[in-house]
Amino acid sequence: MGQFIEGVDRQQALLLPECLDDYVDENSPVRAIDAFVDMLSLAELGFQASPAATGRPGYHPGVMLRIYLYGYLNQIQSSRRLERECGRNLELIWLTGRLRPDFKTIADFRKDNGPAIRKVCQQFVVLCRNINLLDGNLVAIDGSRFKAVNAKAKNYTRGKLRQKLGEIDKAIERYLGELDRADEVFAQTGTVLPEARMERTLRKLEHLQKEARRYRSIEKRMDETGETQVSLSDPDARSMATTPRMPRVVGYNVQTAVEAENHLIVAHEVTMHGYDRDALSMMAVAARDAMATDRIEAIADKGYYKSEEILACEEAGIAVVVPKPQTSNAGARGQFDKADFAYDAEADAYICPAGEQLIYRFTGQQDGKAIRTYWSSHCEGCVIKDKCTKSKERRIRRWEHEDVLERVQQRLDKDPTQLAVRSMTVEHPYGTIKSWMGATHFKMRRLKNVATEMALHVLAYNMTRVINIIGIPALVAAMKA
């Protein structure tokens, strides 16, 4: 008897060989992938499901979709790696019925079926709602920057172009000065400087002039198109500010709305904007439409604070909690801030720290918004005027829908722990997806293709979450119901 557990002899013939299904456990995630694709109406989603009339028929879109779902569920996003796995991975062999499409066919399927793949992601959210996983009423919203297939060196802004052209002009001036000095030495002494050095200087001049022409052509393109940035590898990628440790990244801003109970991503959007302030109502409404209830509450960080967006959420029946960023320097100057003035709604007036009433004076327009202005006639003789204003009187401006912003602040004051709930809810999915991607970037170029790739990441994340919550047999049963 041997000292170790021994495997089966590779040359051993079997009287009753095992079938392929025996190699895939009942609790394998591939069974959930298979059941999910079976429940989809691929033609209605937009996949080309009809076979070719002549010639060699293509692969069924269900097979290709299964390959991608398996790949993103197992951190295999490359079409070349998926091709290899189709020939050696028993789960993929089971899933595809021993089909092995080449990498170009796999890559083209993702590129050509973007809208349909994004609808598949939405279908899984609908499934989650149907099995009562989206019954909560609280969602957290956030955005994160993802790198694109575009190096920082191949992204240009007007400021960067001016800097580059300025450096080139200085270098050209320096090399031309060297040539002038060589001519002067030759004219005065008849001595010729080393030929190799002159050739090197001329080559550098030629290279710099070529670079200057390239930068000016990019500048001309920006003038003609009105673009503020030009990315050469991925035209839709934008340079965006991130964290102090990684100041800028050339990529996309991915917005997500995550429900707080089961941490499922109920809505997501890929944008080219390097800021979040215009995305609050878009994401809140998308999250409400995905949830089981029509009355939801959305939490976001101060990067989303924009009065028009908050008003749009209020009009859509969505209560939002967004902390107001501190933009006033009054406190740093040792003066009273607007928050130190209490508003009396019945009198339509503000009460200052000295107890005086600032009454309504007139309404003006600022950035397209109606702004009401208040002040008191008793500021001149106030004993604490130096702590309030250096002007003749302290003026307070109030937006016509300021009551909406005050309700947002009241919600936050009532339960400050909601901001901690936001970070624990919405930031974890980003960390997980970026971990799956590795220290790399999106595989595809252009906004529409990147949106398809992100939909596959979100679908894989949601499927993993549901498997961890209810298990594979229950999920498969729900899909077949």
Side-chain angles (χ1 to χ4, degrees), residues 174-213:
R174 187 171 64 253
Y175 288 126
L176 288 175
E178 289 183 13
L179 293 176
D180 290 341
R181 284 194 299 273
D183 292 340
E184 187 178 346
V185 168
F186 178 75
Q188 292 177 356
T189 65
T191 303
V192 179
L193 294 180
E195 185 179 351
R197 180 180 178 183
M198 291 296 98
E199 288 180 355
R200 186 167 63 250
T201 301
L202 289 171
R203 283 199 304 270
K204 288 182 178 179
L205 267 174
E206 184 181 357
H207 171 72
L208 289 170
Q209 289 167 350
K210 181 180 177 182
E211 286 292 287
R213 286 194 298 271

Side-chain angles (χ1 to χ4, degrees), residues 45 74 93 105 114 122 130 178 184 206 251 257 360 369 371 439:
L45 292 174
N74 292 274
I93 291 172
T105 302
Q122 295 167 2
N130 293 339
E178 289 183 13
E184 187 178 346
E206 184 181 357
Y360 167 72
K369 296 185 290 186
I371 304 296

Side-chain angles (χ1 to χ4, degrees), residues 152-166:
K152 291 182 182 178
K154 292 190 175 182
N155 171 267
Y156 299 97
T157 62
R158 291 189 180 276
K160 191 173 182 180
L161 286 173
R162 283 195 297 269
Q163 179 187 352
K164 292 283 187 184
L165 288 169

Side-chain angles (χ1 to χ4, degrees), residues 78-93:
S78 163
S79 57
R80 292 181 184 270
R81 287 187 62 199
L82 285 172
E83 179 190 6
R84 290 196 298 270
E85 293 299 315
C86 284
R88 68 186 183 190
N89 187 309
L90 270 176
E91 289 184 326
L92 260 182
I93 291 172

Side-chain angles (χ1 to χ4, degrees), residues 154-157 218 221-222 227-232 238:
K154 292 190 175 182
N155 171 267
Y156 299 97
T157 62
I218 296 173
R221 169 182 163 181
M222 296 174 83
E227 295 174 282
T228 57
Q229 289 189 39
V230 170
S231 298
L232 300 183
R238 293 292 179 266

Side-chain angles (χ1 to χ4, degrees), residues 3-4 58 149 171 247 261 308 322 342-343 383 426 435 440:
Q3 295 180 342
F4 302 102
V149 189
E261 187 174 341
E308 295 93 331
V322 187
Y343 180 67
V383 294
V426 75
S435 174
T440 182

Side-chain angles (χ1 to χ4, degrees), residues 321-336:
V321 177
V322 187
K324 185 176 182 179
Q326 193 63 256
T327 57
S328 173
N329 291 324
R333 296 193 303 266
Q335 294 179 332
F336 295 120

